[in-house]
Amino acid sequence: TDMKKLHDFAFLSELLVTLLNTQEGDEYIYSMILTMLNIMDIYPEKAELIILAFILKLIYILGYFPRIQIKDGINGYSFNYEDGMIVARDKAYSNKTITIKELSFMKHLLNSKFTDLIAIDCEEKSIANLKRLFINYILYIFDKDEFKTLKVKY
């Protein structure tokens, strides 16, 4: 719906202001934003996936992407915001769990073009979990309490 689009764009604006307020203009990031918005406009049903991919790509480009420590035979991981790492499951971070499947999906999103995202099929639960984890990570990094646009109900 148009309200959903407006809400998504408002959130993306707030995210960009948070992440880019200390950055110089970057032509690649600007081009990435335009591509992402065009794809979202054409495929609104893929908005959550596109937004997640955008968040991942942007924090990677800006140097905030967490280090990931994969261990053979381990399927459960935790996102440690304080150290900027994703590590084998740690009970202290039980609300920040991420599966090996989600880690693989995340890597796939990072390496995919926005135009390729429309063909990706993934569980909404995984998209929502990754989006929640990375939004909270950004809030932690920038010492923000919340994204005000995410509090708006439409």
Side-chain angles (χ1 to χ4, degrees):
T1 67
D2 287 342
M3 284 304 290
K4 170 80 172 101
K5 273 188 189 178
L6 187 60
H7 184 259
D8 289 342
F9 292 153
F11 164 69
L12 289 167
S13 295
E14 188 177 9
L15 175 74
L16 288 168
V17 167
T18 299
L19 289 173
L20 300 178
N21 78 5
T22 60
Q23 297 286 327
E24 293 292 318
D26 183 307
E27 201 170 303
Y28 181 78
I29 291 174
Y30 179 72
S31 173
M32 188 173 77
I33 292 166
L34 289 179
T35 301
M36 183 249 334
L37 292 174
N38 283 330
I39 299 294
M40 274 181 62
D41 194 42
I42 297 167
Y43 301 97
E45 70 279 6
K46 293 286 189 173
E48 293 303 309
L49 177 66
I50 294 166
I51 290 170
L52 171 61
F54 179 75
I55 290 169
L56 296 174
K57 290 172 183 294
L58 189 59
I59 65 171
Y60 183 84
I61 290 167
L62 297 175
Y64 295 113
F65 204 79
R67 292 183 316 262
I68 301 171
Q69 291 183 340
I70 301 287
K71 290 187 179 175
D72 287 342
I74 303 289
N75 291 323
Y77 291 82
S78 297
F79 200 146
N80 178 331
Y81 297 156
E82 294 80 8
D83 295 332
M85 294 180 71
I86 295 174
V87 296
R89 181 164 284 146
D90 183 335
K91 288 183 178 141
Y93 301 101
S94 61
N95 66 332
K96 300 173 188 164
T97 60
I98 185 169
T99 65
I100 191 74
K101 185 177 173 185
E102 288 170 336
L103 284 175
S104 176
F105 178 61
M106 184 177 74
K107 185 177 178 183
H108 183 68
L109 289 179
L110 257 181
N111 295 315
S112 295
K113 295 179 180 180
F114 283 109
T115 51
D116 297 337
L117 296 178
I118 56 169
I120 293 176
D121 198 26
C122 181
E123 293 178 21
E124 287 181 30
K125 190 173 112 180
S126 290
I127 294 170
N129 184 50
L130 288 169
K131 187 176 169 191
R132 175 187 64 82
L133 288 170
F134 277 90
I135 286 171
N136 287 333
Y137 178 55
I138 292 166
L139 292 172
Y140 176 82
I141 291 171
F142 289 92
D143 200 26
K144 277 183 69 126
D145 293 330
E146 64 186 21
F147 283 109
K148 292 179 182 15
T149 48
L150 294 179
K151 295 289 182 191
V152 175
K153 300 295 177 211
Y154 58 93

